[in-house]
């Protein structure tokens, strides 16, 4: 195995997550945090909720994007060093959900930054969020040309 | 030949100073200062090449030198008394009289004190001091040329006061050379008083109310030392029948009589005042109101170094006494407490001042520990500290002229504004703080040589840990700036005048190279001095490592490995592509401004203003100073009482 | 001499693996203590490999410079330990690493990194005196600061310096960034003001700091083992016991403030040291 192979192995085994609440009702946020509890224990897969985009590999976004926080979302995405992936969680993150038509809402996350995996639900279940992260790893794999 | 060299080193600065007093134009002043500096540096090297010597000048200006010095001494004291009368200060007048009367008694009763023996002498310690004065002192004077021009432009003076400034500055170098080359304590006393007067004139140079007040404080504290010195002259002569240092040190380790020990205490007391040891630290802290070259000179190669020079010089004479162990404790205490005080300071010059007092405290402690290893440590620290501290003061002066503040909080991100000065400051800080540089090497030597006394080791070790805090945060905040868009150095960066830039750069190279040359410095400078008075080698220096029974410090391997790491890192950092630049993390709310610390707030931009932790509830001057002074005075009293 | 050099070199190469492995076991045991399954033992290595492969992102060039110097210093410390060199020298080289880590963090104007750097300074202020006191106590027993003389002493130091072992435990807790003293940054997922002193280091730079941390872990464990230098089994038992206790403390305590840390670590640490040193000097 070359060093690149080792590094690629590391990339798939250690997705560090930064979670950004873009204006969610907190339903999805609680489910994201539930993933850390002993019941789901995402650290099994090397997933850490790292809280700092500069350290993160995966951006998990919950909630609708509005005109106030779209720049924040963009800034956080830009401050993540590549390779990176984005997961939109919950109905609001996917499309704007029930707030879609509101005057101040931009829409789903993909209106501002490229989204790799969409996790539906209102709120999304912890299982599906974990599944989303695993899917995101597949996306990373494809991006790296490993798939 | 020797006489000419000594003449050039001591009297030439006086003549140059008089010339500088008369010169009103910048061009000739520049040439005189640079030429004097060059001659001093060259002569100090030549004197050093000749090795140690003893000399009795037969006549000077057609007069018996002893008579001449005595006459000048009284003249100087008369000047001091004149100053005291002019200032209408009863304290100063009393202190002045307290010096003239004992001196008169001394000269009258023991007129033949100089009848025999060399009045000038030099061993390696003196030669090291002469080298420091010749190189570091001269560089500081050259720096003064560029600095004072800017300084006076800033003050908006109509008539330049530079002749007066350079008169005292250059005179200082001569007085310092005289002090360290004198063998007769009576001569040392004369030069001692000369440095007191010079520092008084220089501290008060700007003539502001604060400057005057602080210069008066410096004067009375140093006169207190002068009184002790004058009394010591009598006591030494009465106890031993000689005032020649070479005679006093002829039998090192031989138990000194009580009377002689009391005299040594008085001399050490004088040394404590001059070296601004606790509780006399306030004069040195106050001295920073003076233009920066003065601070640099006072802190690095002259004035305070005269104090520790005397204490180190006498160390063999009081070896093995309880006075010696108390002096060790006294110095170590100063090191620990000034490190704590420096943590509480954001004023750059005060941080430097406390660090100076602390490092002098280590030298005093080394003298008190009084083993070959510790004396070697003290002598070497004298050198390393002079170079690094001069560099730091010159940097702070240059920075202050540009940003108009000496508060380290105002120096945040200075690397973008003054890249060269900031980088030199960081270099100076690292040479003060980290291995493998000299200051740390000597600290290691000091701690290990103190091993016989756990209390001493404890204090020195704690102090050493405290120093990390105030140096690190200063170095760190200088670098605190986002990467400039084009290249590493922002356009429009400040450039100092050549007369300021060159001394700073030379000193930085000097500080680094001195660290690299520490085995050489030990072998050729410190060890020969130590072996004059102490039996047994302090360290076994081979392959660039200092080894003793207590431990090993590998200078060359450390330089090699840490240096390789540093230069690899520097190369890596310099080759970073511009695209790797990223704004500091501000929760995604950054405004994208150049400073990199402004949040986008709901009502407009909000700048985050970080500040250091100064622990002012613990380390503040107002909290600590009183207690420290009480303890220090108690220690002095115990020292004196212990002898009697 | 040559064999010593080779041993030191081997130790320096092995140290990051030892440190990484210890960190992996640490994470596994911590997870089990929290009734979680936990990551694989090799997880720290995956993390660092991944970080090494990420794009470089820095606020300024100092952020790239400092981690390399920190890593050099930490590796050098382990090498010096292997050479059975001077304890004080190792201490001073360790300071180089800490100082550059802080300088790099302060070089970024972000407030989180700045606060983290200040707290890291407070941590240094708390553990440095303790570490140096431990070394001083060694020198009082063995008569020198050389590690070689600890091994040459022929008896375990623990019976003579029991309190100093506790003092070293304090230093260990702070240096390993364990609760209640993980105030400048911490491992695991629970963050401290974003990531404290590590906030602005990312990708390969963070990887270098992590590797430097592994070296530090190996060094500190080595220092602990000096308390029972006569028997490999004894040293291993001592290390395992001390580290497990460390994990329990980490899991049952909450993060405290830097004021608490300074008062507690310095107050208790200094008191225990003075007691032990005084007792020791009467014994001699």
């Amino acid at each position: 195995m070359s060093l690149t192979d080792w590094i690629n192995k590391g990339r798939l085994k250690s997705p560090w997550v930064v979670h950004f609440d873009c204006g969610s009702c907190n339903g999805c946020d609680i489910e994201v945090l539930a993933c850390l509890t002993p019941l789901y224990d995402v650290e099994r897969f090397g997933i850490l909720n790292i809280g700092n985009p500069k350290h993160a590999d995966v951006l998990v976004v919950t909630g609708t994007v509005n005109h106030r926080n779209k720049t924040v979302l963009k800034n956080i995405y830009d401050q993540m060093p590549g390779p990176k992936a984005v997961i939109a969680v919950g109905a609001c993150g996917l499309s704007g959900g029930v707030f879609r038509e509101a005057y101040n809402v931009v829409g789903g996350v993909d209106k501002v930054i490229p989204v790799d995996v969409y996790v539906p639900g209102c709120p999304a279940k912890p299982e599906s969020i974990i599944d989303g992260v695993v899917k995101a790893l597949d996306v990373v794999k494809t991006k790296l040309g490993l798939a | 030949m020797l006489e000419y060299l000594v003449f050039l080193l001591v009297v030439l600065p006086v003549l140059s100073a008089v010339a500088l007093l008369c010169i009103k134009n910048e061009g000739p002043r520049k040439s005189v200062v640079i030429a004097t500096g060059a001659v001093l540096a060259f002569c100090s090297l030549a004197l050093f090449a000749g090795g140690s010597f003893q000399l009795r000048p037969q006549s000077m200006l057609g007069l018996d030198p002893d008579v001449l010095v005595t006459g000048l001494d009284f003249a100087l004291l008369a000047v001091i008394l004149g100053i005291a009368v002019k200032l209408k200060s009863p304290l100063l007048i009393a202190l002045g009289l307290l010096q003239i009367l004992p001196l008169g008694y001394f000269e009258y009763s023991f007129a033949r004190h100089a009848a025999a023996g060399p009045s000038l002498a030099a061993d390696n310690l003196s030669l090291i001091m002469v080298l420091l004065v010749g190189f570091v002192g001269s560089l500081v004077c050259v720096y003064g040329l560029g600095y004072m021009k800017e300084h006076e432009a800033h003050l908006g003076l109509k008539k330049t006061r530079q002749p007066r400034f350079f008169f005292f500055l250059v005179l200082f170098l001569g007085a310092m050379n005289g002090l360290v080359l004198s063998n007769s304590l009576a001569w040392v006393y004369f030069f001692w008083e000369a440095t007191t007067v010079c520092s008084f004139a220089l501290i008060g140079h700007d003539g502001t109310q604060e400057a005057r007040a602080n210069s008066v404080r410096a004067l009375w504290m140093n006169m207190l030392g002068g009184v002790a010195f004058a009394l010591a002259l009598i006591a030494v002569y009465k106890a031993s029948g000689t005032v020649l240092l070479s005679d006093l040190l002829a039998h090192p380790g031989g138990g000194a009589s009580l009377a002689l020990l009391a005299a040594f205490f008085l001399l050490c007391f004088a040394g404590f005042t001059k070296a601004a040891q606790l509780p006399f630290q306030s004069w040195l802290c106050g001295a920073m109101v003076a233009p920066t070259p003065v601070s640099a000179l006072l802190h690095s190669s002259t004035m305070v170094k005269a104090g520790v020079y005397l204490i180190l010089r006498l160390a063999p004479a009081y070896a093995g006494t309880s006075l010696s162990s108390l002096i060790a404790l006294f110095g170590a205490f100063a090191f620990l407490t000034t490190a704590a005080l420096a943590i509480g300071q954001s004023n750059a010059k005060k941080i430097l001042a406390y660090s100076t007092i602390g490092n002098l405290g280590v030298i005093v402690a080394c003298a008190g520990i009084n083993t070959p290893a510790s004396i070697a440590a003290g002598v070497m620290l004298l050198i390393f500290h002079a170079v690094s501290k001069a560099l730091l003061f010159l940097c702070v002066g240059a920075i202050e002229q540009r940003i108009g503040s000496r508060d380290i909080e105002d120096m945040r991100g200075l690397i973008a504004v003054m890249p060269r000065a900031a980088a030199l400051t960081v270099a100076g800080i690292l040479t003060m703080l980290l291995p493998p540089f000299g200051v740390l090497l000597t600290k290691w030597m000091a701690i290990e040589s103190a091993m016989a006394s756990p209390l001493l080791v404890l204090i020195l070790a704690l102090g050493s840990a405290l120093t990390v805090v105030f140096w690190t945060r200063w170095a760190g905040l200088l670098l605190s700036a986002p990467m400039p868009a084009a290249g590493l150095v922002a356009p429009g960066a400040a450039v100092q005048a050549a007369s300021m830039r060159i001394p700073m750069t030379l000193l930085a190279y000097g500080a680094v190279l001195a660290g690299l040359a520490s085995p050489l410095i030990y072998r050729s400078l410190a060890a020969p001095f130590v072996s004059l008075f102490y039996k047994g080698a302090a360290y076994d220096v081979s392959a660039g490592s200092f080894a003793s029974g207590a431990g090993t410090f590998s200078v060359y391997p450390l330089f090699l490995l840490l240096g390789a790491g540093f230069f690899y890192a520097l190369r890596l950092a310099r080759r970073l592509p511009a695209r790797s630049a990223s704004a500091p993390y501000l929760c995604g709310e950054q405004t994208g401004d150049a400073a990199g610390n402004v949040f986008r707030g709901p009502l407009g931009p909000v700048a985050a203003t970080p500040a250091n932790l100064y622990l002012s509830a613990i380390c503040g001057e107002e909290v600590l100073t009183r207690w420290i002074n009480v303890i220090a005075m108690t220690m002095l009293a115990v020292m004196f009482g212990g002898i009697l | 001499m040559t064999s010593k050099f080779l041993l030191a070199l081997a130790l320096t190469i092995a140290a990051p693996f030892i440190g990484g492995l210890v960190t992996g076991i640490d994470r596994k045991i911590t997870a089990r203590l929290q009734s979680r399954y936990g990551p694989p033992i090799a997880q720290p290595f995956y993390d660092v490999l991944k970080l090494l492969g990420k794009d470089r992102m820095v606020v300024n060039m100092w952020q790239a410079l400092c981690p390399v110097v920190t890593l050099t210093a930490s590796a050098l410390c382990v090498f010096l330990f292997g050479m059975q060199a001077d304890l004080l020298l190792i201490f001073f080289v360790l300071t180089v690493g800490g100082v550059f880590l802080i300088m790099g963090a302060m070089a970024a104007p972000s407030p989180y990194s700045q606060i983290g750097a200040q707290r890291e300074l407070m941590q240094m202020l708390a553990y440095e005196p303790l570490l140096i006191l431990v070394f001083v106590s060694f020198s009082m027993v063995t008569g020198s600061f050389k590690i070689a003389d600890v091994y040459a002493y022929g008896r375990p130091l623990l019976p003579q310096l029991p309190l100093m072992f506790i003092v070293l435990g304090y230093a260990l807790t702070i240096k390993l960034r364990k609760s209640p003293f993980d105030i400048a940054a911490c491992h695991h997922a629970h963050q401290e003001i974003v990531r404290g002193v590590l906030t602005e280091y990312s990708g390969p730079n963070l990887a270098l700091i992590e590797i430097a941390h592994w070296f530090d872990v190996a060094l500190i464990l080595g220092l602990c083992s000096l308390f029972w230098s006569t028997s490999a089994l004894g040293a291993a038992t001592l290390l395992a016991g001390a580290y497990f206790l460390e994990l329990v403390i980490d899991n049952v305590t909450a993060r405290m403030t830097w004021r608490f840390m300074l008062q507690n670590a310095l107050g208790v640490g200094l008191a225990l040291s003075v007691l032990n040193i005084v007792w020791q000097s009467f014994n001699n």
Side-chain angles (χ1 to χ4, degrees):
Chain A
M1 271 174 98
S2 72
L3 185 65
T4 330
D5 294 337
W6 280 106
I7 286 176
N8 281 335
K9 197 174 163 80
R11 278 173 174 154
L12 298 177
K13 288 224 168 221
S14 154
W16 288 359
V17 164
V18 62
H19 167 212
F20 181 51
D21 174 357
C22 223
S24 149
C25 68
N26 285 173
C28 292
D29 300 336
I30 286 175
E31 300 305 329
V32 168
L33 292 179
C35 300
L36 306 173
T37 57
L39 186 61
Y40 299 101
D41 185 28
V42 286
E43 207 189 349
R44 278 179 297 163
F45 311 116
I47 301 173
L48 286 182
N49 184 3
I50 208 71
N52 178 0
K54 293 200 168 186
H55 293 180
D57 312 295
V58 177
L59 175 59
V60 172
V61 191
T62 54
T64 45
V65 183
N66 59 39
H67 289 288
R68 177 70 182 84
N69 63 23
K70 63 183 180 194
T71 47
V72 180
L73 180 61
K74 181 82 173 74
N75 281 340
I76 286 182
Y77 177 76
D78 288 343
Q79 286 195 331
M80 290 169 62
K84 56 190 170 186
V86 177
I87 304 174
V89 172
C92 303
L94 264 54
S95 63
V98 293
F99 307 107
R100 189 180 169 88
E101 301 301 327
Y103 71 98
N104 61 337
V105 165
V106 179
V109 176
D110 55 4
K111 299 256 169 157
V112 183
I113 54 173
V115 174
D116 298 295
V117 178
Y118 296 88
V119 178
C122 185
K125 294 175 74 171
E127 290 92 335
S128 61
I129 295 173
I130 296 173
D131 199 35
V133 178
V134 175
K135 283 250 162 47
L137 291 179
D138 285 339
V139 174
V140 172
K141 231 182 205 173
T142 322
K143 277 184 187 167
L144 295 171
L146 299 175
Chain B
M1 181 61 196
L2 200 58
E3 274 130 342
Y4 291 115
L5 278 180
V6 174
F7 180 83
L8 279 176
L9 282 167
V10 182
V11 185
L12 175 77
V14 181
L15 300 177
S16 302
V18 174
L20 284 166
L21 193 60
C22 307
I23 296 172
K24 305 289 180 217
N25 297 328
E26 199 191 324
R29 182 185 308 131
K30 222 172 209 171
S31 343
V32 170
V33 169
I34 293 174
T36 311
V39 171
L40 285 184
F42 177 76
C43 289
S44 64
L45 264 185
L47 196 71
F48 175 71
S52 43
F53 63 87
Q54 292 195 332
L55 188 66
R56 181 171 167 74
Q58 290 309 323
S59 80
M60 206 184 283
L61 310 172
L63 283 168
D64 178 7
D66 273 305
V67 175
L68 185 68
V69 168
T70 310
L72 285 174
D73 212 351
F74 279 110
L76 194 62
L77 286 175
V79 169
I80 294 177
L81 207 59
I83 294 170
V85 172
K86 203 175 141 206
L87 290 169
K88 296 199 186 84
S89 156
L91 174 69
L92 287 178
I93 295 173
L95 287 173
L97 287 175
L98 272 175
Q99 288 185 70
I100 291 184
L101 297 177
L103 189 71
Y105 171 72
F106 173 72
E107 295 292 349
Y108 175 75
S109 320
F110 316 123
R112 264 186 299 281
H113 67 83
S119 36
L120 292 169
D123 53 18
N124 261 13
L125 181 60
S126 314
L127 293 175
I128 289 169
M129 293 296 294
V130 172
L131 280 174
L132 286 180
V133 173
F135 281 86
V136 180
S138 301
L139 282 177
V140 172
C141 288
V142 173
Y143 171 93
L145 290 169
Y147 182 91
M148 288 311 286
K149 195 177 163 199
E150 180 90 24
H151 183 71
E152 298 206 326
H154 179 71
L155 289 180
L157 289 188
K158 285 199 182 62
K159 188 167 171 292
T160 175
R161 298 183 69 220
Q162 288 189 46
R164 175 187 186 275
F165 182 80
F166 282 100
F167 170 75
F168 283 112
L169 206 63
V170 175
L171 195 63
F172 215 135
L173 299 185
M176 198 58 201
N177 274 333
L179 198 158
V180 295
L181 289 174
S182 297
N183 188 35
S184 157
L185 277 175
W187 287 39
V188 175
Y189 175 69
F190 163 65
F191 292 115
W192 190 269
E193 288 308 299
T195 58
T196 301
V197 173
C198 284
S199 66
F200 165 75
L202 285 171
I203 294 169
H205 178 76
D206 278 347
T208 59
Q209 191 149 22
E210 194 190 3
R212 275 203 205 116
N214 288 347
S215 67
V216 169
R217 180 163 47 190
L219 186 62
W220 79 253
M221 284 195 173
N222 278 300
M223 281 172 80
L224 206 61
V227 172
F229 207 128
L231 295 175
L233 277 180
I234 299 171
V236 165
Y237 194 79
K238 278 209 163 166
S240 65
T242 175
V243 287
L244 294 183
L245 282 166
S246 52
D247 291 347
L248 289 172
L249 297 169
H251 309 290
S257 70
L258 276 186
L260 199 54
L261 217 51
F264 288 151
F265 168 75
L266 286 173
L267 287 173
C268 286
F269 181 86
F272 294 152
T273 59
K274 191 129 286 202
Q277 292 297 290
L278 312 171
F280 307 112
Q281 76 278 31
S282 58
W283 81 255
L284 193 61
C285 293
M288 68 190 182
V289 297
T292 298
V294 177
S295 317
L297 205 59
L298 290 184
H299 284 259
S300 63
S301 53
T302 62
M303 196 68 183
V304 294
K305 287 285 154 66
V308 287
Y309 162 79
L310 189 67
I311 296 166
L312 264 180
R313 163 69 66 216
L314 293 171
Y318 55 74
T321 62
S322 57
L323 175 68
S324 186
S325 5
L326 280 169
I327 286 176
L329 206 58
F330 186 71
F333 176 72
F335 178 53
L336 174 63
T337 48
T338 52
L341 281 167
I343 289 180
Q345 289 302 319
S346 69
N347 180 329
K349 276 196 170 182
K350 263 205 168 166
I351 294 175
L352 291 181
Y354 281 129
S355 149
T356 298
I357 301 166
N359 277 293
L360 297 176
V362 175
I363 300 179
V364 170
C366 283
I369 295 165
N370 235 326
T371 64
S374 78
I375 299 292
V379 173
M380 286 171 75
L381 183 52
L382 206 67
I383 304 170
F384 297 130
H385 175 257
V387 181
S388 293
K389 199 44 78 62
L391 167 64
L392 282 169
F393 264 106
L394 300 194
C395 288
V396 169
I399 292 168
E400 192 185 358
Q401 283 197 333
R402 162 89 189 207
I403 66 170
S405 163
R406 53 176 72 157
D407 194 310
I408 59 170
E409 293 291 349
D410 295 329
M411 296 184 194
R412 265 177 205 281
L414 199 74
I415 194 89
V417 188
M418 308 178 71
R420 187 188 289 263
L424 289 177
T425 313
V426 173
I429 290 173
L430 294 184
T431 55
M432 284 295 294
L433 174 66
L434 291 183
F437 298 112
V439 176
L440 198 102
L441 167 71
T442 52
K443 224 157 265 174
W444 170 84
M445 291 162 82
I447 294 179
E448 297 212 339
S449 63
M451 239 172 68
S453 157
L455 179 63
L456 215 52
V457 177
L458 199 80
I459 297 177
L460 287 174
L462 278 178
S464 174
L466 291 183
T467 52
V468 175
V469 176
F470 64 85
W471 286 128
T472 307
R473 65 185 183 200
W474 187 5
L477 60 78
L478 286 169
L479 304 177
S480 182
M483 189 139 92
L488 294 162
V489 175
V495 178
Q496 287 82 44
S499 61
M500 290 166 77
R501 204 173 61 232
I502 294 170
M504 281 156 66
T505 316
L506 285 178
L507 282 172
Y509 278 113
V512 173
L513 290 180
L516 190 59
S518 53
L520 186 70
I521 289 177
Y522 171 76
R523 257 199 305 263
S524 59
L525 296 177
F529 169 70
V530 174
S531 63
L532 285 181
F533 300 105
Y534 297 87
K535 283 190 192 70
Y539 288 98
D540 178 21
V541 180
S542 63
S545 292
F546 286 75
S548 75
T552 313
F553 194 107
S554 327
V555 181
Y556 287 171
L558 280 188
F559 254 105
L560 198 68
L561 292 168
L562 286 175
F566 181 81
F567 282 108
Y568 171 73
L570 197 64
R571 202 174 134 231
L572 190 84
R574 278 175 175 280
R575 291 183 171 194
L576 281 177
R579 68 183 150 75
S580 58
S582 148
Y585 177 64
L586 294 177
C587 299
E589 289 278 27
Q590 69 265 30
T591 53
D593 70 309
N597 62 345
V598 184
F599 285 93
R600 208 164 55 99
L603 295 176
V606 181
T609 45
N612 290 324
L613 279 173
Y614 290 104
L615 307 182
S616 38
I618 314 165
C619 296
E621 268 181 336
E622 54 292 339
V623 184
L624 280 182
T625 303
R626 192 187 324 149
W627 295 108
I628 289 172
N629 286 348
V630 168
I631 296 173
M633 277 189 243
T634 317
M635 285 170 101
L636 281 176
V638 169
M639 236 183 260
F640 190 57
I643 296 166
L644 305 180
Chain C
M1 193 62 199
T2 324
S3 66
K4 210 183 206 177
F5 179 80
L6 288 177
L7 184 78
L9 206 60
L11 192 67
T12 316
I13 294 167
F17 295 98
I18 299 171
L21 202 63
V22 169
T23 316
I25 296 170
D26 174 336
R27 281 174 72 173
K28 192 83 183 170
I29 296 178
T30 300
R32 287 300 164 87
L33 288 173
Q34 296 166 356
S35 62
R36 290 188 290 118
Y37 183 77
I41 301 283
Q43 187 61 44
F45 297 104
Y46 295 139
D47 291 348
V48 163
L49 283 169
K50 173 205 70 183
L51 287 171
L52 282 173
K54 297 214 74 165
D55 292 346
R56 249 175 210 289
M57 189 180 260
V58 291
V59 174
N60 58 30
M61 65 176 276
W62 311 109
Q63 286 221 293
L65 182 145
C66 292
V68 180
V69 181
T70 301
L71 177 61
T72 313
S74 292
L76 186 54
C77 281
V78 173
F79 180 73
L80 288 171
F81 186 88
M83 291 294 283
Q84 306 195 348
D86 193 290
L87 281 165
L88 273 184
L89 184 62
I90 293 177
F91 170 81
F92 288 135
V93 177
L94 198 62
T95 314
V96 176
V99 165
F100 271 86
L101 176 69
I102 294 171
M103 274 169 55
M106 287 192 78
S110 130
Y112 310 107
S113 165
Q114 295 285 334
I115 295 174
Q118 295 296 324
R119 292 184 172 194
E120 180 73 14
L121 261 182
M122 290 305 117
Q123 291 203 165
M124 276 182 94
L125 182 58
Y127 78 71
E128 285 216 317
L130 301 186
L131 218 47
I132 217 168
L133 283 172
V134 171
F135 296 163
V136 169
S137 70
F138 280 7
S139 77
M140 288 182 58
V141 176
T142 64
S144 101
F145 280 92
K146 277 178 278 197
I147 296 179
D149 286 344
V150 175
Y151 284 110
Y153 184 61
R155 273 182 292 157
L157 296 175
L158 192 60
Q160 303 191 53
L161 302 169
L163 298 180
M164 296 317 289
F165 192 68
I166 302 176
V167 174
L168 184 62
Y170 266 97
L172 187 77
T173 318
I174 301 172
K175 185 75 188 160
L176 290 180
R177 308 193 184 289
K178 297 284 184 202
S179 283
F181 301 136
D182 52 346
I183 60 164
C186 88
H187 292 94
H188 316 312
H190 44 115
Q191 300 101 23
E192 170 57 353
I193 40 168
V194 185
R195 270 285 262 175
V197 67
L198 301 177
T199 303
E200 294 292 343
Y201 291 111
S202 62
N205 295 328
L206 186 64
L208 294 185
I209 290 174
E210 194 57 31
I211 298 173
H213 184 72
W214 292 347
F215 274 109
D216 289 352
V217 170
L219 176 74
I220 292 181
L221 291 179
L223 292 177
C224 281
S225 77
L226 289 182
F227 276 90
W228 202 330
S229 57
T230 49
S231 131
L233 191 66
T237 322
L238 194 66
L239 287 189
Y243 204 90
F244 184 71
L245 194 66
E246 207 61 59
L247 286 184
V248 172
I249 291 171
D250 185 28
N251 277 287
V252 300
T253 52
R255 176 183 301 135
M256 300 301 278
T257 62
W258 62 264
R259 284 187 186 82
F260 171 84
M261 178 186 65
L262 275 188
Q263 282 165 7
N264 191 280
L266 283 183
V268 178
L270 284 182
L272 289 178
S273 308
V274 168
L275 265 179
N276 206 148
I277 288 176
V278 168
W279 177 64
Q280 176 59 32
S281 42
F282 275 116
N283 253 8
N284 278 355

